[in-house]
Amino acid sequence: MTDRVDLDVPAKRRLNEKALHEGTVLQSFAFDEVHRHLYALQVRRGGIGAGNLCLNQLDYDGELLGHMHLQGFGHGVSMGVQNAADGTVWIWTEAEAKGGYGQAVTRFRFAPGATRTVDDVNTRKPIPGSTNNQPTVCMASKRIAVRYRRKGKPRYRVWDLDAFVHRDYDDPIADIASPTRTPTPRSPSRGTPCTATTSTNSPAPPTTPRPTRPPSSATPTSPASTSPPANCSSACAPRPAAPSPTASRRASPSATGPGRASTSASRRARPAPAGSPLYAKPLP
């Protein structure tokens, strides 16, 4: 499989606002391109802890053709459709739910209106010691991938589909660690947080002193929250807002009572110079 997705081609909405059997959100979906069917998984109402799922079958226009219930299978994180050589359509999902997530994988045939439990299917545990097994299938490459966790860390393992069907798990094609999430200026909590520390044996980094201001009870002061933490660089600190010229003009020269700043005091309240630690450097 050498063709790649052309990201320069405009996206086209395929289906929108199509009703599924349950009143819950869609978890995952897969296409049966041979029979032009779409399968969609959702957690059943009140069944999230037990791992109870609803499997929907739709046509390519989004019309619901049927559904079946999967009791104790998992969360429906991912799924796959296998078109076997004999014409059989197999649905691959997680199974053996624990804490609402499947700890194994299985395959079965779609049966409208039926209910399946884990005892009705044959389950597989291709990765000993792993948890949260979630399969997906690519019929173009004839491969199956399973997302799993080992020691709490997510990974992906890929096999030849025929080998996997025959329970030959010893020679996977690839095993890949899940990419880490990259922090962004708008979502700083994503990825690894700021872990800068200062050794107790090293001197504190030099900082530019703030400009001296004439003593005045009316001179506004900067809030303490604008100073960066001691164990973080100045890039973590927020940029303080410059004094508003409109606010300075509103202040009357005679309005020097308690709680009001005089015009001359407002003029003295200059922002700190660019070298001050109050100013944060722009993120790359």
Side-chain angles (χ1 to χ4, degrees):
M1 201 168 88
T2 58
D3 294 341
R4 298 193 177 191
V5 177
D6 187 356
L7 299 179
D8 293 329
V9 176
K12 180 180 179 181
R13 178 175 291 174
R14 186 161 190 170
L15 295 175
N16 183 45
E17 297 181 357
K18 299 295 182 179
L20 300 177
H21 179 70
E22 295 280 338
T24 57
V25 299
L26 169 72
Q27 295 293 334
S28 60
F29 63 91
F31 290 96
D32 174 5
E33 298 186 50
V34 174
H35 302 93
R36 297 180 62 82
H37 287 156
L38 170 66
Y39 292 90
L41 277 174
Q42 52 184 162
V43 177
R44 297 190 65 187
R45 285 178 291 239
I48 188 170
N52 298 336
L53 300 174
C54 178
L55 175 63
N56 300 262
Q57 184 191 60
L58 304 92
D59 61 22
Y60 271 19
D61 293 324
E63 296 302 318
L64 184 62
L65 304 177
H67 73 278
M68 64 184 298
H69 292 150
L70 310 173
Q71 301 294 95
F73 275 56
H75 198 74
V77 175
S78 66
M79 63 173 298
V81 173
Q82 174 194 358
N83 299 106
D86 62 0
T88 303
V89 178
W90 294 98
I91 309 297
W92 288 85
T93 68
E94 58 191 289
E96 296 187 20
K98 182 179 180 181
Y101 290 86
Q103 308 304 304
V105 300
T106 189
R107 71 172 185 168
F108 54 88
R109 290 185 287 271
F110 180 79
T115 297
R116 297 283 184 265
T117 68
V118 176
D119 294 334
D120 299 324
V121 296
N122 294 318
T123 60
R124 305 159 183 260
K125 294 185 177 180
I127 309 164
S130 67
T131 61
N132 295 35
N133 286 204
Q134 296 135 8
T136 188
V137 173
C138 174
M139 286 307 301
S141 61
K142 300 285 197 304
R143 293 176 179 178
I144 183 171
V146 175
R147 184 181 189 269
Y148 67 96
R149 286 181 178 269
R150 178 172 282 173
K151 296 182 179 180
K153 296 183 178 180
R155 299 187 65 86
Y156 299 86
R157 190 169 291 187
V158 182
W159 291 267
D160 174 80
L161 181 57
D162 289 337
F164 195 91
V165 168
H166 291 91
R167 297 180 181 268
D168 180 6
Y169 312 130
D170 295 335
D171 189 22
I173 296 172
D175 189 277
I176 309 165
S178 180
T180 57
R181 302 179 68 186
T182 304
T184 65
R186 305 188 87 182
S187 301
S189 62
R190 297 177 62 185
T192 305
C194 176
T195 57
T197 57
T198 302
S199 171
T200 55
N201 297 325
S202 60
T207 58
T208 304
R210 299 182 183 180
T212 304
R213 298 173 179 172
S216 173
S217 59
T219 302
T221 58
S222 300
S225 60
T226 59
S227 299
N231 66 339
C232 191
S233 66
S234 61
C236 298
R239 184 187 296 272
S244 171
T246 305
S248 299
R249 286 196 296 268
R250 285 201 196 106
S252 171
S254 61
T256 56
R260 296 187 177 183
S262 66
T263 303
S264 58
S266 297
R267 289 180 181 144
R268 288 196 298 268
R270 304 293 184 188
S276 169
L278 283 176
Y279 276 79
K281 298 178 181 179
L283 295 174

